[in-house]
Amino acid sequence: MRVLGIDPGLTRCGIGVVDGAVGAPLTMVAAGAVRTLADEELPARLLGIEKGIEQWLDDYQPDAVAVERVFAQHNVRTVMGTAQASAIAVVCAARRGLPVSLHTPSEVKAAITGSGRADKAQVGTMVARILRLDSPPRPADAADAVALAICYLWRGSAQERIARARQKFARTIELARQRHGL
Amino acid sequence: MRVLGIDPGLTRCGIGVVDGAVGAPLTMVAAGAVRTLADEELPARLLGIEKGIEQWLDDYQPDAVAVERVFAQHNVRTVMGTAQASAIAVVCAARRGLPVSLHTPSEVKAAITGSGRADKAQVGTMVARILRLDSPPRPADAADAVALAICYLWRGSAQERIARARQKFARTIELARQRHGL
């Protein structure tokens, strides 16, 4: 399964593509960013983000997309642009019928480092370790996007594992019932 | 010239279409809203907004689009959805190569009522008067969208008038210079 992670931003959207399969180590396929110029008008910037993300989706054909869920607790000016960029990211994926999952920064940090309060450097270090890279993906937004994709794959497989465990448990109970005529 | 105004919102995007020509009264062509359900997931809602706006653009083929500029001074939770809906509106127009103009609520109020602090009812009343309607367009977001379109048309024609006046003045000066050999 291939997941494309997007860390949205008006100036720079981090992008990371990660392949994962149950029981196999995760592999980073690509990481980078979609950039727009601060002196462009908003319509041109949003259009640039759309074109850039479409290109990544065309090039890497992911099975799912993970986008950072934007919260308003940060810098209010920045957050408006982030919300707008995230809307473009979400709609690009949804238009193709791809499942889109939104993850808060603390969910991602907790999934990758074990702590929802980890800093960017710690997330980068763990991303590199998980993917067996010599150093964290660059730029920093790309590392965050890769972390989002990992978060999606791990949560997905954790959910699958729980579902399988539940089925196994139900089967055991059923067999026990039959055996004891309950 | 036909302008489509959009008052963005995640639950309801007000839409208003107004025709204007220099020296002729403005005419309302259509007003309404694009709605999404609050219990839908964000990707489905943003996709619904995109489809709805595309339909309005297809049906009315405007020459320009006016969108409310979102500010973060309001309710922070609401403003995130508004920012995301506005991004979709802007990109739908930009993708078609239509000029997109962003207006703050106080710019619109000042253009329509003469006061940047006018309330919704006052804006509705003036929109109805300007367009010679019996009552303001419904729902309220549609009236705001119509006001945005009027604001665009009036600012546009004001700018044209200033440009024409400047040209005329420059020509007068030039003629005077020639006449007096300056």
Side-chain angles (χ1 to χ4, degrees):
Chain A
M1 181 184 202
R2 174 168 291 180
V3 179
L4 188 139
I6 304 177
D7 180 25
L10 208 48
T11 304
R12 201 166 50 230
C13 282
I15 314 262
V17 184
V18 178
D19 277 355
V22 178
L26 301 180
T27 313
M28 189 174 89
V29 178
V34 170
R35 292 161 208 271
T36 71
L37 299 172
D39 59 1
E40 278 181 310
E41 295 285 337
L42 182 71
R45 299 185 80 177
L46 293 178
L47 208 57
I49 290 171
E50 181 178 67
K51 283 190 181 154
I53 291 173
E54 288 288 349
Q55 191 64 58
W56 277 86
L57 293 171
D58 280 345
D59 290 349
Y60 293 99
Q61 301 284 335
D63 302 300
V65 173
V67 182
E68 189 175 294
R69 189 184 290 278
V70 189
F71 277 102
Q73 65 230 29
H74 311 292
N75 181 318
V76 154
R77 255 194 80 100
T78 320
V79 104
M80 303 297 296
T82 309
Q84 294 183 312
S86 84
I88 304 302
V90 166
V91 99
C92 283
R95 214 186 284 137
R96 291 175 185 235
L98 295 175
V100 183
S101 136
L102 297 153
H103 304 274
T104 64
S106 56
E107 257 184 275
V108 176
K109 287 173 186 173
I112 304 291
T113 71
S115 161
R117 290 162 173 271
D119 62 16
K120 271 192 178 279
Q122 203 182 334
V123 171
T125 303
M126 282 308 295
V127 162
R129 195 167 300 169
I130 292 161
L131 299 169
R132 302 166 314 284
L133 307 169
D134 292 332
S135 60
R138 301 279 306 162
D141 312 73
D144 288 342
V146 168
L148 274 155
I150 296 173
C151 176
Y152 182 101
L153 284 159
W154 277 358
R155 277 176 40 124
S157 53
Q159 276 157 5
E160 274 170 36
R161 242 178 284 138
I162 292 163
R164 275 201 307 276
R166 278 218 183 97
Q167 280 178 353
K168 198 174 162 187
F169 178 71
R171 210 159 46 230
T172 310
I173 294 290
E174 186 52 37
L175 284 172
R177 274 201 176 123
Q178 289 175 1
R179 204 172 301 147
H180 300 285
L182 294 170
Chain B
M1 182 187 201
R2 174 166 293 179
V3 179
L4 188 138
I6 304 177
D7 180 26
L10 208 48
T11 303
R12 203 166 49 229
C13 281
I15 314 263
V17 185
V18 179
D19 277 356
V22 178
L26 301 180
T27 313
M28 189 174 88
V29 179
V34 170
R35 292 162 209 271
T36 71
L37 299 171
D39 58 1
E40 278 181 310
E41 295 284 338
L42 182 71
R45 299 185 81 177
L46 294 178
L47 208 56
I49 290 170
E50 181 177 65
K51 283 189 181 157
I53 291 173
E54 287 288 348
Q55 190 66 56
W56 277 86
L57 293 171
D58 280 346
D59 289 350
Y60 293 98
Q61 301 285 335
D63 302 301
V65 173
V67 182
E68 190 176 294
R69 190 184 288 279
V70 189
F71 276 102
Q73 65 230 27
H74 310 292
N75 180 318
V76 153
R77 254 194 81 102
T78 320
V79 103
M80 302 298 295
T82 310
Q84 294 183 311
S86 84
I88 303 302
V90 166
V91 97
C92 283
R95 215 187 283 137
R96 291 173 186 236
L98 295 174
V100 184
S101 135
L102 297 154
H103 305 275
T104 64
S106 57
E107 257 183 275
V108 176
K109 288 173 185 171
I112 305 291
T113 72
S115 160
R117 290 162 174 272
D119 61 17
K120 270 192 178 279
Q122 204 182 333
V123 172
T125 303
M126 282 307 296
V127 162
R129 195 167 300 168
I130 292 161
L131 298 170
R132 304 167 312 287
L133 307 170
D134 293 333
S135 60
R138 304 273 310 157
D141 312 73
D144 287 343
V146 168
L148 273 156
I150 296 173
C151 176
Y152 182 101
L153 283 159
W154 278 359
R155 280 177 36 126
S157 53
Q159 276 158 6
E160 273 169 38
R161 243 178 283 138
I162 293 164
R164 275 202 306 275
R166 277 217 184 98
Q167 280 178 354
K168 200 174 162 187
F169 178 72
R171 211 158 44 227
T172 311
I173 294 289
E174 186 53 35
L175 283 172
R177 273 203 176 123
Q178 289 174 3
R179 206 172 298 148
H180 300 286
L182 294 169

